[in-house]
Amino acid sequence: MKHYLEKLIEGKSLMEYEMEEAVQGIFKQDITDSEIASFLTGLKSKGETAEEVSGLVKAIRKHALNFTKKIPNVLDNCGTGGDGSKSFNISTTSAFVIAGAGITVAKHGNRSVSSKTGSADVLEALGVSLDFSPEATEEILEQNGIAFLFAPHVHPKLKQIMKVRRDLKIPTIFNLIGPLTNPVQLDYQLLGIYRRDLLDKFAHVLANLNRKRAIVINGAGGMDEASLSGVNEMVLVTQGEIRHMKLQPEEVNLPEYDNASIRGGDARDNAEILLNVLRGKKGAHRDTVLLNSGIGIYTAGHAPSILEGVAQAAESIDSGNALRKLENLIDISKRNNKAVG
């Protein structure tokens, strides 16, 4: 660790294998909080490279709970948080819509970061369990086509690092890498990020992580989701090839809305919004979910265009498929809670 700290202090970047080795050292019991803090601040001061982020993510995934089964064609749609928009749970709602369109979704998430309610908070309010074992999660993915992975549950060895991160009280790389650390082997990923200047860097990280296809998006107004308030900047990653894209609401036949129209509330409020969307209620919430779900469906290769992806998203909701995915997950959770109790 001393060697790597010295490199960072000198402004030198670590190779991917060096970063992975350094982080493996952090998981050892004899590492101190001050060493972890120095490492995180050293990275931040220098500026993290795509190779360093990739090495960090690979090391964290090695210490996650062990998900051994390779389920084909799995997607995650998760944002970094941190955009300050206080929006409702867009990606969580969209996950059920994407699953309802026939795509397997391993939804990775946590409690609140920048909004009042994180994905775990809203799902817990709906009655979804947060503590399924890897084996149960894999079974749910195969049978229901969507499961939720609660970050603190699947990454139990990150407690010391998370404590240091909280104590530092400044943003570090850990504010951005959450969506990349899903322990399920993903083929596809829709990653929302609140910093437009990091689109290229995170596209290269997704290429390093061997995603078949992925999109990194920064929404209009700096959201870590696609927004109907203006131009969305995206980078498409296909088998390592990177292409920049822009998307406006009129291109997919959706109206414009100000971001203020999609603000959420507490867990109960956001659960109600999520249910209303899945039950077919029209308006800004539904249209925002259609946009994000359409991009997710396109990312997974289930639609030749985002416009067609939006159409499939509408069908997922209007057919009741999206709502059934949620209801099944709630029923599975009830049975799990009875078994545990």
Side-chain angles (χ1 to χ4, degrees):
M1 177 57 73
K2 182 183 176 184
H3 168 66
Y4 294 129
L5 284 175
E6 286 173 349
K7 283 193 74 170
L8 293 176
I9 290 167
E10 292 168 4
K12 296 176 182 177
S13 296
L14 305 183
M15 301 292 288
E16 183 178 306
Y17 79 89
E18 290 180 310
M19 185 65 170
E20 196 168 345
E21 189 175 273
V23 178
Q24 295 284 9
I26 286 177
F27 283 107
K28 293 178 180 176
Q29 294 297 316
D30 59 350
I31 199 82
T32 66
D33 287 357
S34 61
E35 285 177 305
I36 296 173
S38 297
F39 187 72
L40 294 178
T41 53
L43 280 169
K44 180 179 175 63
S45 299
K46 179 189 68 65
E48 302 89 349
T49 65
E51 280 201 345
E52 287 170 338
V53 177
S54 302
L56 173 60
V57 169
K58 288 177 179 179
I60 289 172
R61 291 185 75 249
K62 284 181 180 177
H63 287 271
L65 294 185
N66 196 16
F67 289 76
T68 56
K69 191 175 287 188
K70 178 64 181 87
I71 300 167
N73 302 318
V74 179
L75 173 139
D76 187 10
N77 68 318
C78 185
T80 58
D83 63 10
S85 68
K86 297 181 171 56
S87 60
F88 76 102
N89 297 92
I90 298 167
S91 64
T92 306
T93 311
S94 299
F96 293 103
V97 179
I98 295 167
I103 297 158
T104 304
V105 180
K107 182 73 178 81
H108 189 238
N110 209 331
R111 297 200 183 275
S112 173
V113 177
S114 59
S115 60
K116 290 183 180 178
T117 309
S119 54
D121 302 305
V122 73
L123 289 173
E124 195 172 48
L126 288 163
V128 174
S129 293
L130 305 181
D131 59 353
F132 286 109
S133 69
E135 296 77 16
T137 300
E138 289 166 342
E139 186 176 338
I140 294 165
L141 283 172
E142 290 180 321
Q143 294 181 358
N144 189 45
I146 182 169
F148 180 69
L149 293 94
F150 182 41
H153 176 64
V154 298
H155 298 290
K157 295 183 180 179
L158 281 177
K159 287 180 181 177
Q160 184 183 7
I161 299 174
M162 292 300 100
K163 175 186 177 297
V164 174
R165 174 191 162 191
R166 286 192 299 270
D167 291 345
L168 278 173
K169 295 183 172 61
I170 58 170
T172 69
I173 190 60
F174 277 88
N175 290 73
L176 295 164
I177 63 163
L180 299 170
T181 61
N182 192 324
V184 171
Q185 297 179 58
L186 302 175
D187 289 303
Y188 307 108
Q189 186 152 12
L190 173 58
L191 168 60
I193 192 163
Y194 71 95
R195 284 179 54 185
R196 192 158 290 191
D197 62 306
L198 293 178
L199 283 171
D200 269 326
K201 184 179 291 184
F202 275 71
H204 281 95
V205 172
L206 288 165
N208 289 346
L209 295 175
N210 297 317
R211 301 291 188 258
K212 284 183 185 176
R213 188 171 159 102
I215 284 180
V216 191
I217 186 164
N218 176 258
M223 288 190 67
D224 71 328
E225 315 271 5
S227 165
L228 289 168
S229 70
V231 179
N232 298 278
E233 296 273 357
M234 302 186 293
V235 181
L236 173 66
V237 182
T238 309
Q239 301 287 6
E241 295 290 322
I242 290 172
R243 179 163 67 93
H244 287 259
M245 303 167 63
K246 293 179 188 287
L247 181 68
Q248 299 188 65
E250 58 265 29
E251 295 176 58
V252 289
N253 298 330
L254 289 172
E256 283 197 24
Y257 294 94
D258 189 275
N259 285 341
S261 66
I262 54 170
R263 284 186 183 144
D266 62 18
R268 287 173 180 264
D269 295 331
N270 286 7
E272 188 65 28
I273 292 170
L274 185 154
L275 286 170
N276 284 338
V277 170
L278 298 189
R279 288 168 178 161
K281 184 177 179 180
K282 302 290 198 294
H285 297 132
R286 172 190 166 101
D287 288 341
T288 300
V289 168
L290 289 179
L291 177 62
N292 282 274
S293 302
I295 296 169
I297 292 166
Y298 171 72
T299 301
H302 269 235
S305 67
I306 295 173
L307 178 63
E308 172 59 26
V310 169
Q312 290 185 29
E315 172 63 19
S316 173
I317 294 173
D318 296 337
S319 66
N321 286 343
L323 182 59
R324 277 190 288 275
K325 293 294 182 181
L326 171 62
E327 290 172 341
N328 290 344
L329 193 54
I330 293 169
D331 287 342
I332 293 166
S333 296
K334 287 177 180 175
R335 292 196 296 272
N336 177 67
N337 291 339
K338 283 182 181 177
V340 172

